[in-house]
């Protein structure tokens, strides 16, 4: 009965989310706000993967900007090549300014939309699998893994800054089309929003399936007792690699959507600070829940957009303070507060209460009369 109730609540949550994303938001929000909300949905897609790897697997991934950037740059490369071909030019516009007259060899395959989509799905996942096996087989975990993943994000950002053929510190921008659709058309901008919303619901459904499966139970077991899982005959490294690769795939897809939605991709979206911002949203929303990372990522992105314009320097400190408070006092995040209150209420209801004392019997009139006579 409890399983059926949980499934009903999950599907009800999906229904409400779909109604809000596809029904309410396009009606209430303007075209500008809808595009901004689509950017927030890209961050939420990354958060779902972090919730799976960190919340369920205990892997503090501080380098998701690496895979987010890989997906974003590969999509941007295709968009720039498509724009150059549309204008009948040999190289994109920024290469002409830099004096590059021949398209670099590693750019040429991204002229194909099919190759680009396959590369976005395969390349980051393959890198995550190779990196995961190299790290987890050596039993690197905890703070060491977090520092290593963060160092990778910093290294990729520094590498991209020095690559003139990838736009340098300015990155890639000024996209005109998206697989043949003009990005200046408001209808096509709305199409990008609907794609992002659909992808978000899809990745949440995939994450739920993984969490509810036997693999999800093994992932939680690895988080809580890795040595016990090893003694039971399972290799914790293989279990971790799957979650890490799935999180990398989600981040790459989010980056690929982020590039045409926002209109640019640069090293500033890939380094240490964006990776930490992803984790902060997940921690505040609730890393062990299904919808908590989504709500946390959207809420933090919205708050950053709202308050950083008015308080640009104070917002960074407020964000860090909020992260410290949540991690220190509410480790389950804001989404876990409801679960905590419900659990305490259930425990209070189940606590046995002492039986009420029986009321004193009414005195017998005859006995009272005899007692009074004896006193006299």
């Amino acid at each position: 009965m409890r399983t059926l109730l949980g499934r009903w609540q999950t599907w009800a949550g999906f229904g409400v989310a779909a109604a809000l994303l596809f029904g309410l938001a396009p009606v209430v929000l303007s075209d500008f706000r809808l595009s901004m909300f689509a950017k927030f949905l890209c961050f939420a897609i990354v958060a779902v993967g972090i919730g799976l790897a960190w919340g369920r697997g205990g892997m503090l991934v501080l380098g998701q900007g690496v895979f987010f950037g890989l997906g974003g740059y590969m999509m941007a490369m295709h968009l720039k090549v498509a724009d150059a071909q549309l204008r009948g030019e040999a190289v994109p516009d920024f290469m002409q300014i830099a004096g590059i007259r021949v398209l670099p060899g590693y750019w040429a395959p991204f002229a194909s939309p099919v190759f680009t989509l396959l590369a976005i799905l395969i390349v980051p996942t393959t890198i995550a699998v190779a990196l995961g096996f190299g790290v987890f087989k050596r039993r690197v975990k905890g703070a060491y893994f977090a520092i290593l993943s963060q160092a990778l994000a910093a290294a990729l950002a520094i590498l991209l800054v020095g690559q003139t053929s990838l736009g340098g510190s300015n990155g890639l921008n000024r996209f005109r089309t998206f697989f043949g659709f003009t990005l200046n058309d408001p209808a096509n901008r709305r199409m990008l929003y609907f794609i992002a919303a659909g992808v978000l619901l899809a990745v949440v459904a995939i994450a739920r399936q993984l969490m509810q499966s036997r693999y999800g139970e093994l992932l939680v077991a690895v988080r809580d007792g890795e040595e016990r899982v090893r003694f039971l005959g399972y290799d914790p490294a293989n279990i971790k690699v799957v979650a890490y690769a799935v999180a990398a795939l989600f981040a790459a897809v989010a980056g690929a959507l982020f590039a045409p939605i926002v209109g640019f991709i640069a090293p500033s979206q890939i380094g240490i600070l964006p990776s930490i911002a992803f984790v902060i949203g997940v921690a505040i929303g609730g890393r062990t829940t299904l919808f908590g990372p989504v709500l946390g990522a959207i809420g933090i992105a919205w708050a950053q957009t709202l308050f950083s314009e008015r308080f640009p320097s104070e917002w960074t400190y407020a964000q860090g303070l909020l992260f410290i408070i949540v991690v220190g006092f509410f480790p389950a995040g804001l989404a876990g507060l409801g679960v905590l209150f419900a659990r305490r209420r259930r425990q209070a209801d189940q606590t046995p209460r002492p039986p009420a004392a029986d009321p004193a019997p009414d005195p017998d009139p005859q006995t009272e009369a005899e007692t009074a006579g004896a006193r006299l």
Side-chain angles (χ1 to χ4, degrees):
M1 186 66 182
R2 185 177 299 177
T3 303
L4 293 177
L5 181 61
R7 291 180 179 178
W8 180 85
Q9 291 177 347
T10 302
W11 287 114
F14 274 103
V16 172
L20 293 176
L21 293 175
F22 293 97
L24 183 62
V27 175
V28 176
L29 300 178
S30 63
D31 292 337
F32 173 75
R33 294 296 178 183
L34 195 65
S35 297
M36 184 180 297
F37 189 48
K39 181 181 71 171
F40 299 162
L41 296 184
C42 295
F43 298 153
I45 295 172
V46 182
V48 174
I50 296 177
L52 178 65
W54 183 32
R56 294 285 173 159
M59 295 171 285
L60 181 55
V61 285
L62 291 178
Q64 291 303 95
V66 173
F67 308 109
F68 183 83
L70 287 174
Y73 265 88
M74 285 188 287
M75 177 59 75
M77 290 167 68
H78 168 72
L79 299 180
K80 295 301 292 183
V81 172
D83 292 345
Q85 292 178 347
L86 188 63
R87 297 193 308 268
E89 299 175 353
V91 295
D93 49 5
F94 75 94
M95 290 187 182
Q96 298 177 13
I97 298 176
I100 302 175
R101 304 305 178 190
V102 180
L103 190 67
Y106 66 93
W107 273 74
F110 289 97
S112 171
V114 177
F115 177 87
T116 301
L117 294 177
L118 291 177
I120 291 171
L121 298 177
I122 295 175
V123 173
T125 307
T126 304
I127 294 176
V129 170
L131 180 62
F133 274 116
V135 172
F136 299 133
K137 285 293 185 180
R138 290 174 171 80
R139 302 185 183 183
V140 178
K141 56 184 178 180
Y144 300 102
F145 173 75
I147 294 173
L148 177 61
S149 61
Q150 194 175 57
L152 291 175
L156 180 61
I158 295 173
L159 177 64
L160 291 174
V161 169
Q163 297 296 318
T164 307
S165 59
L166 290 174
S169 59
N170 295 325
L172 303 177
N173 50 36
R174 298 172 59 185
F175 310 128
R176 295 178 175 85
T177 60
F178 176 75
F179 294 101
F181 296 94
T182 304
L183 290 176
N184 292 331
D185 191 348
N188 295 334
R189 304 290 300 177
R190 284 180 168 257
M191 177 191 67
L192 284 173
Y193 164 77
F194 287 123
I195 292 175
V199 171
L200 175 60
L201 293 180
V203 298
V204 171
I206 294 173
R208 178 190 177 276
Q209 185 63 30
L210 291 174
M211 291 178 183
Q212 298 296 326
S213 64
R214 180 175 177 81
Y215 167 77
E217 297 177 355
L218 286 173
L219 188 61
V220 174
V222 169
R223 179 196 66 188
D224 297 338
E226 183 173 335
E227 296 301 327
R228 293 184 179 182
V229 174
R230 183 175 287 107
F231 290 151
L232 292 174
Y234 296 96
D235 190 351
N238 297 336
I239 301 173
K240 288 183 176 181
V241 165
V242 174
Y244 187 53
V246 172
L249 175 62
F250 289 172
V253 172
L257 291 172
F258 178 87
I261 288 174
V262 179
F264 72 97
I265 186 72
S268 58
Q269 277 86 39
I270 297 172
I272 296 177
L273 293 181
S275 298
I276 295 178
F278 292 148
V279 174
I280 290 176
V282 174
I284 292 175
R287 59 190 176 96
T288 59
T289 59
L290 182 62
F291 293 102
V294 175
L295 299 178
I298 294 176
I300 288 297
W302 175 80
Q304 182 178 5
T305 303
L306 180 63
F307 293 106
S308 61
E309 297 176 355
R310 302 179 181 179
F311 313 101
S313 58
E314 290 81 359
W315 165 247
T316 303
Y317 298 103
Q319 189 179 27
L321 179 62
L322 184 60
F323 178 70
I324 294 174
I325 293 175
V326 170
V327 173
F329 299 96
F330 307 102
L334 299 180
L337 293 179
V339 178
L340 179 62
F341 292 151
R343 183 182 302 171
R344 289 185 175 180
R345 184 177 180 181
R346 186 166 57 251
Q347 291 176 353
D349 295 338
Q350 294 176 354
T351 302
R353 299 179 180 178
D358 296 334
D362 295 334
D364 188 359
Q366 184 177 359
T367 304
E368 287 186 350
E370 294 177 352
T371 305
R375 290 177 180 175
L376 292 175

